[in-house]
Structure formats: structure tokens, C-alpha cells
Amino acid sequence: PVPRPRLTGDAARWHGWLGSPDWAPPRCVAGSTEAARPGYDSRDASEFVDRPEVLAAKIDLLVDMLKASRATVAYTGAGISTAAGIGDYASKAKRSVAARMTNPSLNRREAAPTLAHRVLTALHARRPRPYLHEWVNQNHDGLAQKAGFPRAALNEIHGSWFDRKNRVKMMDESLEPALLERMVATSETAALCIAMGTSMCGMNADRVATEPAARAARDPASLGGMVLINLQRTAQDDAAALRIFATCDDAMAALRRRLRLRVGKDTLPQSRWK
């Protein structure tokens, strides 16, 4: 593989170090001076969106990265579920794009999967070679399983509302040893991590994204590392190989079109979870 020129400085933080210097920076669509995650390593809660032509170019690069990887993991936080109506902690801007999608009166156990959940499921189901091999999910909402994602390839590292053997963990509690061991193994072997809807604010589980990013940074020819998809800036932006500013659904909708993925529409009851 031929070494690729890498962006540095502000350009890298807006686009990732595999991005193009010709790409315009994203637009601020909701300004805020509040910290996204007070008490953690986070930035302010301002929200940004890539321009359509830049988003399209970034999705083209993401496709190249997926095709080059033989070990891809998704790492998701609350932002992947806001389009299902479930609120998050970080969306504090007055005109927040994410907050407008939430529904405070929703019974969270009855929420339906978002398009992003369904696209990740389709990436895993692709044959003969899947584009996604494992999913480490910080959420408790069961939306991955409702979209048809198999539990054997899913690590609900912070617990689940639907699994009595994996109760939801409080912030000061230890992770389940078996899930922690599996997560560490994933972080050590993944070539590419797609981190979506997470503030990357210093959780133990962030290693799923930061360790592949560190390995890719040492390889000048790498098309791997961390792809970070989020409306807000994070402390890990300058470590991303590709940085996408968009909602999870908008980014995954563009990826679906680009790959011509067939995406399921069913919402599976718990009795049908794989």
C-alpha cells in the first residue's frame, strides 16, 4: 500500500487525517457554551453538520475503508437512538438537532430501531463478506436486537433493559468481567471502528475506538483506524481517520445509498431476537 498524505491541525479535527484539504469545514447549526458532558473529557454542546458535497465525499472514503477492513467494529452511544425518540445526555444546545427528535413521553422499552440500527444490521448481514463484524453498544434499549442484529455479535457493555443477566451499570460500577474481556479482545484486534453518537469522553469502552485509531496512526498506508460520526466535537477528533459531522441516520442513509444495501423494516419482538 502507498502511504497517504495526512491532514493535520484544524483540518484533521474537522475531517479526519485521511480527509481532503479541499473539503470545507462543517456548518454550526446549533451553538452552545455548555459542556456536552460535564465532569468528563468533553467539548461544548455546539452541533455541526457537513455540507452535502463534503458528506458525500466522506461516505465515499468510508466505503473504501469498509472494503479494506477485515475486522470492523461499531461503537455506539446514545446519539444513535435519539431518532427513535430516546433522549441523550449531551444535546444541550437551544436549537439542538438531536433534541428535536426525542420524545419525553415515549415508553423507551417500546421504541423502534432507527435507520442507523438497521443499516448496521445490514452491514453485518452482508454476504459473502460482511462489512461489520461486531457491535459494542453503550445503550440499554435493545434497538439493535429489534433491528435483527444477532446477539452473538453484540456486546451491550453497559447493560440492558431486556437481559436480567446483564443489568444496567451505574457510572461508578464495574463492568461485567466476561463482557469486559470480550471488549478488550475486540479493541486489540479491530482494524476499523465506526464510532457513532458517542461523546468519546473517557469511558473505559472508548478503547474500542481509540486503540484501532492508535494502531492506524502508526501505519502511513493504513485505511483503518477510527471513523467518528457525531454532531458535536469531541476530545478524540484529532485521532480520527475520518470525521463525519452528521446525525447517525443521515450518515447511514448516505452509506446505504452508496452501497445499495437492502435494509430490513421489521421491529422484532424479544421472542424473535436472534
Side-chain angles (χ1 to χ4, degrees):
V2 177
R4 301 168 61 97
R6 294 188 171 186
L7 296 182
T8 58
D10 287 343
R13 284 185 282 274
W14 288 129
H15 305 308
W17 40 258
L18 286 179
S20 168
D22 298 328
W23 292 345
R27 297 181 298 109
C28 181
V29 293
S32 176
T33 58
E34 286 192 69
R37 295 296 301 271
Y40 296 91
D41 188 11
S42 68
R43 300 296 182 257
D44 67 48
S46 298
E47 296 178 3
F48 298 82
V49 173
D50 278 320
R51 300 162 198 274
E53 66 278 9
V54 175
L55 177 60
K58 289 182 176 181
I59 295 301
D60 286 345
L61 177 54
L62 175 56
V63 169
D64 291 342
M65 298 171 79
L66 287 169
K67 290 180 176 179
S69 174
R70 294 297 183 270
T72 301
V73 59
Y75 176 52
T76 55
I80 194 176
S81 296
T82 53
I86 300 174
D88 65 359
Y89 297 107
S91 301
K92 297 181 171 69
K94 288 184 178 180
R95 298 182 180 181
S96 169
V97 174
R100 288 201 299 269
M101 296 186 285
T102 61
N103 179 4
S105 64
L106 175 74
N107 181 337
R108 297 178 298 174
R109 294 175 64 91
E110 297 178 359
T114 67
L115 178 62
H117 290 95
R118 298 186 188 282
V119 171
L120 290 182
T121 300
L123 291 172
H124 178 75
R126 182 185 180 272
R127 295 297 181 269
R129 185 174 73 84
Y131 282 143
L132 180 64
H133 304 90
E134 188 160 0
W135 185 346
V136 177
N137 190 8
Q138 299 179 75
N139 302 331
H140 325 301
D141 51 34
L143 295 183
Q145 299 96 310
K146 289 181 180 181
F149 200 89
R151 285 178 282 186
L154 179 67
N155 186 340
E156 293 178 293
I157 190 62
H158 291 163
S160 171
W161 296 332
F162 298 91
D163 187 349
R164 293 180 180 177
K165 296 180 180 179
N166 183 25
R167 65 176 182 81
V168 173
K169 297 294 183 293
M170 299 296 102
M171 298 299 289
D172 58 351
E173 288 188 279
S174 298
L175 300 175
E176 288 292 337
L179 296 182
L180 174 60
E181 181 179 1
R182 178 179 167 189
M183 181 187 73
V184 170
T186 298
S187 68
E188 291 174 346
T189 57
L192 177 66
C193 176
I194 304 173
M196 291 201 297
T198 172
S199 298
M200 296 296 298
C201 59
M203 301 295 179
N204 189 347
D206 289 354
R207 69 174 68 195
V208 174
T210 58
E211 291 189 13
R215 287 193 292 274
R218 295 190 293 268
D219 180 0
S222 176
L223 269 178
M226 175 173 60
V227 177
L228 184 50
I229 303 172
N230 200 342
L231 289 168
Q232 298 175 348
R233 293 171 292 190
T234 81
Q236 296 296 328
D237 288 351
D238 57 358
L242 176 60
R243 184 62 171 95
I244 296 175
F245 285 90
T247 68
C248 297
D249 271 13
D250 285 348
M252 291 298 99
L255 181 63
R256 173 194 182 185
R257 291 191 296 270
R258 179 65 174 74
L259 289 174
R260 298 182 180 179
L261 288 174
R262 292 186 177 182
V263 175
K265 297 181 179 179
D266 292 341
T267 297
L268 303 183
Q270 192 171 358
S271 61
R272 290 181 56 197
W273 290 2
K274 299 178 182 179

